[in-house]
Amino acid sequence: MSGPLEALPALLRDEPTMAALLGATGAVVAVPDAGRAFLVAGMAALGAAPVLVVATPTAAEAERLVHDLTAFAGSARVALFPAWETLPFERVSPATETMGQRLSVLWRIRLAHRAGGEGAATRLVVVAPVKALLQRLSPGAPATEPVVVRAGDRLDESALVGRLVEAGYRREYQVESRGELAVRGGIVDVFPSTYECGVRIDLFGDEVDRLTEFDVADQRSVRDLEEASILPCRELVPDAAMRERARLLAASATFAAEQLARIADGEVFDGIESFLPWLDERDDGSVITDLLTSSDRVLLAEPRRMRDRALELADEEAALADSLSKTWGLDGSESVPRLHLPFDRLLISSPAKVVTLLAAPEDPNTLAVRAGSWPAPLGDPAVLARRAGELVRAGCRVVVSMDGEPSARRLATVLEEEGLTARLVGSAGAGPASAGVEVVVEPLDRGFVMDQAGVAVLAEPDVTGRRRPHR
């Protein structure tokens, strides 16, 4: 079922700038922050790119963009590619949820390419901070595939458990956290890295008799499933080549001889991810943009700020490497391989088309999308009704997006009391636009006015002045 705002990006079809965005590479477009999510959603809706990667300077900006993009493009088509929350060389594993989320994005890129972008539902929009984009990928990560279990399948319990252990799952007496696995009496419990609940596989002989989600708090089944797609819970699962490299390094790398010997023996342990730069034989590594095709697109949001952030990351990692090289008795920081690659490495091996998004035009020839912000806060109902009325009379489709149904109903009533026609609708894309204001239930961070496209969207924080925090 489509969300109430998913039909709106199609209104950009007649936006003059959209033709340049969809038809060329190297385009530079200025669009204010307020309208960026809507423009990206329009590119995803109208373009034929199987994968659209949007790069941002910071993680906070990526999260905000994902939040609003989800409203305009649908949660099934938008994904955040996060960076590890651990420091380079820190012998602690990133959160299982983070690694699972990253592996999920890599898998979904493969699925999008298999479909070839045929049909809007197969296209994927990936949003990532520059830190995540420049992070070296594990050699085996791009080829990751989930373990798929369906109700009624026939499978071997030992083989299933073996595959899950190879994917990084840890056997425990009882599953309580992501990345854990438990087996008892024909029942296999596993907490997948990308799920909010555990998955219980109830076997009758070699047949999946029942497949359910279960609550790890009380271990009770919650609901039946037709299918479970279980992605690995670790990005770094050493293959034969990496184990051999670890064996050779263990002889000379006295600072980590014990850990490298364990990797050589095929062990997987907490903090193994910190050895990725040593185990990757490729000097220039691999980044996510290397996986894109010539049919895909990369949107660089404010590349100057992205480059500055990349230089900060490089300086921070160099300082850590310099300190550790002295502690470990190495020949200078240059002998310590890096987790993050230089900014210039980002697109050097990618055939994808590139578009630059700026917050404001840098010269008179820069393509620009007019996207104004609503004056915030619009706490006075009369002011809100007056501004919305002006836009309606100017031919704009005005949609007010509220966080919940109670607040949406209250606002619709307030607008009616101020003499403005307002209707609460289940879908802003269902049927022709009304002559008044449409009020929908869909959380948004910020609204915008894009008069060229004939659309104006108002978000609840624009009305209240209270912005939503992102973790």
Side-chain angles (χ1 to χ4, degrees):
M1 181 177 177
S2 296
L5 299 179
E6 286 185 46
L8 292 179
L11 296 175
L12 287 170
R13 192 179 306 276
D14 297 324
E15 160 64 40
T17 310
M18 191 55 65
L21 282 173
L22 298 177
T25 185
V28 179
V29 180
V31 55
D33 283 346
R36 187 167 293 168
F38 188 64
L39 184 73
V40 173
M43 290 189 67
L46 303 176
V51 181
L52 184 66
V53 174
V54 188
T56 66
T58 67
E61 287 168 291
E63 289 170 0
R64 284 195 296 269
L65 185 57
V66 165
H67 182 270
D68 283 3
L69 257 178
T70 299
F72 294 120
S75 58
R77 296 180 54 203
V78 179
L80 174 67
F81 188 68
W84 288 353
E85 57 281 304
T86 52
L87 292 171
F89 319 117
E90 185 179 16
R91 293 182 185 178
V92 177
S93 290
T96 303
E97 180 181 8
T98 300
M99 292 189 285
Q101 194 173 353
R102 287 167 55 86
L103 291 171
S104 174
V105 170
L106 299 181
W107 167 238
R108 292 176 68 184
I109 288 175
R110 291 180 67 192
L111 290 180
H113 286 156
R114 286 179 186 176
E118 294 296 327
T122 67
R123 300 173 199 153
L124 177 64
V125 183
V126 177
V127 183
V130 67
K131 181 181 179 182
L133 292 173
L134 294 177
Q135 182 179 313
R136 185 190 296 262
L137 295 179
S138 173
T144 294
E145 293 204 12
V147 176
V148 180
V149 180
R150 299 179 182 87
D153 275 356
R154 292 189 176 276
L155 51 82
D156 180 82
E157 179 185 299
S158 298
L160 171 65
V161 172
R163 288 186 66 189
L164 293 174
V165 170
E166 287 177 4
Y169 286 87
R170 184 177 64 254
R171 288 192 66 162
E172 299 287 351
Y173 172 74
Q174 179 174 287
V175 170
E176 296 179 343
S177 304
R178 282 189 182 88
E180 292 182 349
L181 164 72
V183 183
R184 63 184 191 285
I187 295 176
V188 179
D189 285 348
V190 59
F191 198 154
S193 57
T194 57
Y195 280 44
E196 296 299 322
C197 293
V199 170
R200 178 161 292 153
I201 305 166
D202 197 339
L203 296 169
F204 184 74
D206 63 351
E207 182 180 351
V208 180
D209 186 51
R210 192 182 180 202
L211 187 65
T212 59
E213 281 188 346
F214 72 92
D215 189 337
V216 295
D218 58 16
Q219 297 293 305
R220 293 183 178 180
S221 294
V222 177
R223 66 184 182 95
D224 288 336
L225 298 172
E226 289 296 321
E227 178 182 292
S229 186
I230 306 169
L231 281 159
C233 64
R234 287 194 180 278
E235 284 187 64
L236 181 60
V237 179
D239 57 17
M242 284 188 276
R243 290 196 297 271
E244 176 61 18
R245 185 167 176 80
R247 186 186 66 79
L248 295 174
L249 287 170
S252 57
T254 56
F255 64 91
E258 180 183 347
Q259 290 86 349
L260 290 168
R262 292 175 67 186
I263 295 172
D265 289 338
E267 289 188 46
V268 177
F269 50 89
D270 187 54
I272 190 174
E273 290 77 16
S274 64
F275 293 96
L276 171 58
W278 279 271
L279 300 179
D280 187 358
E281 294 182 312
R282 304 161 299 181
D283 290 338
D284 61 348
S286 173
V287 293
I288 189 173
T289 48
D290 295 349
L291 309 181
L292 303 180
T293 69
S294 58
S295 299
D296 300 323
R297 286 185 177 273
V298 176
L299 273 61
L300 303 178
E302 302 184 56
R304 187 172 298 174
R305 287 183 55 214
M306 287 177 56
R307 183 180 289 275
D308 289 344
R309 177 59 184 141
L311 290 174
E312 289 176 6
L313 289 170
D315 289 344
E316 291 167 4
E317 192 164 356
L320 280 170
D322 185 56
S323 175
L324 291 173
S325 66
K326 297 172 182 175
T327 303
W328 292 341
L330 300 177
D331 298 329
S333 63
E334 294 77 13
S335 61
V336 181
R338 301 293 196 265
L339 176 64
H340 296 97
L341 302 177
F343 183 76
D344 292 339
R345 172 67 181 79
L346 183 61
L347 297 171
I348 199 169
S349 299
S350 177
K353 297 179 178 66
V354 180
V355 173
T356 297
L357 299 180
L358 304 176
E362 291 186 337
D363 61 64
N365 297 320
T366 301
L367 293 170
V369 176
R370 294 205 308 265
S373 299
W374 289 78
L378 292 171
D380 186 342
V383 174
L384 171 57
R386 183 171 65 250
R387 177 60 177 141
E390 290 171 354
L391 290 167
V392 170
R393 288 188 292 273
C396 264
R397 184 171 182 180
V398 179
V399 181
V400 184
S401 186
M402 304 300 284
D403 290 358
E405 189 169 335
S407 58
R409 290 190 181 281
R410 284 195 301 271
L411 183 66
T413 300
V414 168
L415 291 175
E416 290 280 0
E417 290 173 350
E418 292 295 328
L420 189 66
T421 303
R423 66 185 181 109
L424 182 64
V425 293
S427 172
S434 70
V437 175
E438 295 167 278
V439 183
V440 302
V441 177
E442 183 72 73
L444 276 179
D445 264 351
R446 65 181 70 186
F448 60 89
V449 179
M450 201 172 287
D451 52 4
Q452 282 177 298
V455 62
V457 177
L458 177 65
E460 184 166 313
D462 297 322
V463 178
T464 63
R466 295 189 297 272
R467 294 291 168 187
R468 185 179 293 101
H470 291 271
R471 71 183 180 91

